[in-house]
């Protein structure tokens, strides 16, 4: 029978500092409110209080690169311990949740503990979230490989509320690792279940948390950038088709021509963003490989982390090539659309010139009317009494 000692639930979560149309100052305000809510959540759920200095350090994103918010309390008649640790790095905010309980538990008991610890997981901030990875770990007092595999499936079902199939497995610090993704690789969510062979290995894993934090960040950036490339591709195709339908500019009114100009501009911007996603993937693939090499060098020689390399190999084989192919396909379209842009711009200028001439003609007519009115008024100045007495003439002058 599987028995797990000191089960620990971790969450690695990543949020971009800047999104499209959202600057860093605005994002920082939202994220600070999110962090402040964590302290309030711990106070309400675990009756944990923090000093003003503790809260100030935790919320001071610009002044403190890293800060902790530790907690100890009773949850569902079970003492839980842990911390939130947040980082402010170059282009994203990182949050690490670390919750654990002491003691020895059977598989079904661990699942109930996970449900309790999940109660402390906050809703992600309403910002551009890159992705997240759950990690469930502890050391095995007893249990077979088959029991460990089935236990990992229970953990996945508990966290994601559905059945899952492992996409990879290996060995880390002598313990069994089982990895789950979402229904498909594009789902930017991951679960790692790590069952260490003894307490010493479980303690040694603390030296790897920063390595995991970096490695998983690169992984999520790769998938996030690829997801963005798919959205950009769909929008590029849609805009191109709509613009081509407007190629007969003689049939379009001025507003339709202006709309076409806007879509042409958006097409060029989106193509630049697509190239940016390509660069993001290439850079983070290199960082991922370098960090994985560091982890392998620190781990035991007998450890098997090929499942982590498999992700990199698949991503390297598919993602950059697909995006580069899309870029190559859209580049000629941009040249065609740039030619169409010149045509539309010329048509817009002609239409505006015609509109301006019509306006000038109207102004001229009004000017003549005003001039005539002025002459009449001047000529009639000596006959003010007579004019005022004549209702018909007086009404005509007032109207003019």
């Amino acid at each position: 029978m599987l028995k797990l000692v000191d089960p620990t639930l971790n969450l690695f979560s990543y949020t971009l500092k800047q999104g499209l149309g959202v600057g860093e100052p605005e994002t920082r305000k939202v994220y600070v409110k999110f962090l402040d809510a964590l302290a309030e959540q711990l106070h309400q759920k675990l009756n944990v209080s923090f000093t003003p200095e503790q809260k100030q350090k935790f919320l001071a994103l610009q002044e403190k690169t890293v800060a902790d918010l530790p907690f100890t309390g009773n949850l569902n008649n079970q003492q839980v311990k842990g911390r939130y640790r947040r980082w402010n790095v170059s282009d994203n905010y990182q949050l690490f949740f670390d919750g654990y309980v002491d003691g020895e538990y059977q598989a079904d008991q661990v699942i109930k503990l996970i449900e309790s610890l999940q109660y402390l997981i906050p809703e992600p901030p309403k910002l551009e979230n890159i992705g997240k990875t759950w990690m469930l770990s502890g050391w095995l007092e007893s249990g077979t490989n088959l029991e460990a595999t089935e236990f990992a499936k229970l953990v996945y079902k508990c966290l994601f509320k559905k059945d899952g199939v492992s996409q990879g497995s290996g060995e880390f610090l002598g313990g069994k690792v089982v990895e789950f993704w979402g229904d498909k690789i594009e789902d930017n969510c991951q679960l790692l279940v790590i069952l260490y062979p003894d307490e010493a290995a479980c303690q040694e894993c603390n030296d790897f948390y920063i390595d995991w934090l970096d490695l998983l960040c690169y992984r999520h950036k790769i998938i996030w950038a690829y997801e963005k490339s798919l959205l950009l591709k769909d929008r590029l195709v849609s805009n191109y088709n709509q613009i081509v339908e407007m190629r007969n500019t003689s049939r379009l009114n001025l507003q339709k021509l202006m709309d076409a100009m806007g879509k042409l501009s958006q097409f060029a911007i989106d193509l630049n963003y697509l190239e940016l996603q390509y660069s993001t993937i290439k850079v983070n693939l290199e960082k991922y490989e370098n960090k994985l090499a560091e982890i392998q060098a620190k781990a035991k020689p007998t450890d098997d982390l090929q499942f982590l390399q498999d992700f990199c190999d698949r991503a390297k084989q598919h993602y950059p090539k697909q995006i580069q192919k899309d870029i190559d396909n859209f580049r000629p379209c941009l040249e065609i659309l740039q030619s169409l842009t010149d045509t539309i711009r010329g048509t817009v200028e002609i239409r505006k010139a015609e509109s301006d001439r019509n306006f000038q003609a109207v102004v001229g007519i009004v000017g003549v009317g005003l001039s005539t009115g002025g002459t009449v008024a001047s000529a009639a100045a000596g006959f003010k009494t007579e004019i005022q007495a004549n209702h018909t003439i007086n009404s005509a002058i007032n109207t003019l």
Side-chain angles (χ1 to χ4, degrees):
M1 180 180 294
L2 184 143
K3 291 184 179 180
L4 193 66
V5 182
D6 298 346
T8 301
L9 181 66
N10 298 131
L11 176 66
F12 302 83
S13 181
Y14 307 90
T15 302
L16 276 185
K17 285 185 179 180
Q18 297 187 79
L20 295 180
V22 181
E24 183 177 350
E26 183 179 347
T27 300
R28 184 167 60 249
K29 289 180 183 178
V30 176
Y31 202 76
V32 167
K33 289 182 180 179
F34 163 71
L35 295 178
D36 192 27
L38 294 181
E40 181 61 27
Q41 174 180 269
L42 288 175
H43 177 69
Q44 292 179 356
K45 295 181 177 180
L46 294 180
N47 196 27
V48 178
S49 298
F50 302 97
T51 65
E53 291 77 16
Q54 281 180 307
K55 286 192 65 174
Q56 183 179 359
K57 289 180 180 179
F58 192 65
L59 301 180
L61 284 174
Q62 290 180 285
E63 294 79 11
K64 299 288 184 180
T65 302
V66 58
D68 280 350
L69 202 63
F71 60 84
T72 300
N74 289 311
L75 191 62
N76 297 334
N77 298 320
Q78 179 70 52
Q79 187 181 60
V80 297
K81 304 175 184 177
R83 59 178 171 165
Y84 295 104
R85 170 170 283 192
R86 61 95 185 141
W87 284 266
N88 178 6
V89 298
S90 59
D91 62 352
N92 66 94
Y93 299 122
Q94 303 176 349
L95 183 68
F96 173 62
F97 170 78
D98 182 26
Y100 63 94
V101 294
D102 295 326
E104 178 182 303
Y105 302 88
Q106 296 179 5
D108 58 336
Q109 294 174 316
V110 176
I111 299 303
K112 291 181 180 179
L113 289 173
I114 293 173
E115 292 173 347
S116 296
L117 290 171
Q118 273 189 288
Y119 189 61
L120 300 178
I121 301 297
E123 287 295 321
K126 294 181 179 179
L127 295 167
E128 187 73 67
N129 297 297
I130 304 174
K132 61 184 181 181
T133 293
W134 295 92
M135 181 182 289
L136 189 284
S137 61
W139 63 276
L140 281 175
E141 174 69 22
S142 62
T144 65
N145 280 334
L146 179 59
E147 288 174 330
T149 301
E150 292 303 312
F151 170 69
K153 292 179 181 178
L154 291 176
V155 174
Y156 181 89
K157 187 171 185 177
C158 177
L159 290 170
F160 297 98
K161 312 306 178 188
K162 58 184 178 181
D163 293 326
V165 178
S166 169
Q167 278 84 17
S169 63
E171 189 171 307
F172 178 61
L173 299 180
K176 181 179 180 61
V177 185
V178 182
E179 181 188 28
F180 294 85
W181 296 333
D183 294 330
K184 50 186 178 180
I185 193 171
E186 288 78 11
D187 289 339
N188 211 351
C189 201
Q190 179 189 30
L191 167 66
L192 294 172
V193 178
I194 308 178
L195 306 176
Y196 297 103
D198 50 44
E199 185 176 7
C202 196
Q203 292 296 324
E204 190 179 353
C205 76
N206 293 326
D207 297 333
F208 287 84
Y209 276 127
I210 299 299
D211 295 306
W212 283 118
L213 190 78
D214 291 339
L215 183 78
L216 298 173
C217 182
Y218 304 144
R219 179 191 190 277
H220 288 305
K221 280 184 177 180
I222 292 166
I223 298 176
W224 174 84
Y226 183 68
E227 288 178 336
K228 287 296 179 185
S229 77
L230 296 177
L231 295 175
L232 287 167
K233 178 181 178 180
D234 289 343
R235 198 159 67 191
L236 283 163
V237 170
S238 176
N239 275 342
Y240 180 80
N241 291 335
Q242 292 181 57
I243 295 167
V244 169
E245 290 177 359
M246 300 179 181
R247 61 187 179 275
N248 190 349
T249 58
S250 63
R251 297 180 181 178
L252 302 179
N253 59 32
L254 186 58
Q255 183 57 52
K256 289 288 186 180
L257 290 169
M258 297 298 287
D259 291 344
M261 289 290 292
K263 291 186 180 297
L264 286 166
S265 175
Q266 187 62 55
F267 185 92
I269 292 171
D270 285 345
L271 186 54
N272 286 334
Y273 279 141
L274 188 62
E275 292 174 336
L276 180 61
Q277 305 315 317
Y278 174 82
S279 299
T280 298
I281 290 175
K282 293 287 287 185
V283 168
N284 283 281
L285 277 170
E286 182 178 352
K287 289 182 177 181
Y288 182 97
E289 283 197 299
N290 292 338
K291 178 56 65 173
L292 181 55
E294 290 180 21
I295 293 175
Q296 289 174 322
K298 289 172 60 177
K300 297 181 181 298
T302 55
D303 284 348
D304 177 15
L305 299 178
Q306 183 59 42
F307 70 98
L308 295 174
Q309 184 63 48
D310 289 343
F311 161 76
C312 186
D313 293 342
R314 281 193 287 268
K316 187 188 298 185
Q317 179 67 25
H318 178 64
Y319 292 174
K321 291 182 179 179
Q322 180 61 54
I323 297 178
Q324 186 61 61
K325 181 180 178 181
D326 293 337
I327 292 172
D328 293 341
N329 288 338
F330 284 119
R331 272 293 167 199
C333 297
L334 183 60
E335 295 175 4
I336 295 171
L337 294 179
Q338 284 174 339
S339 176
L340 183 57
T341 300
D342 295 336
T343 303
I344 293 177
R345 185 179 290 112
T347 306
V348 168
E349 294 301 324
I350 292 172
R351 298 285 179 84
K352 289 178 67 178
E354 291 174 349
S355 178
D356 290 343
R357 283 197 298 271
N358 291 336
F359 176 75
Q360 291 298 329
V362 172
V363 169
I365 294 171
V366 174
V368 170
L370 292 175
S371 176
T372 303
T375 301
V376 172
S378 177
F383 306 98
K384 182 176 180 181
T385 303
E386 289 81 352
I387 291 173
Q388 288 178 340
N390 191 312
H391 177 72
T392 302
I393 297 175
N394 188 43
S395 297
I397 291 173
N398 286 334
T399 300
L400 185 58

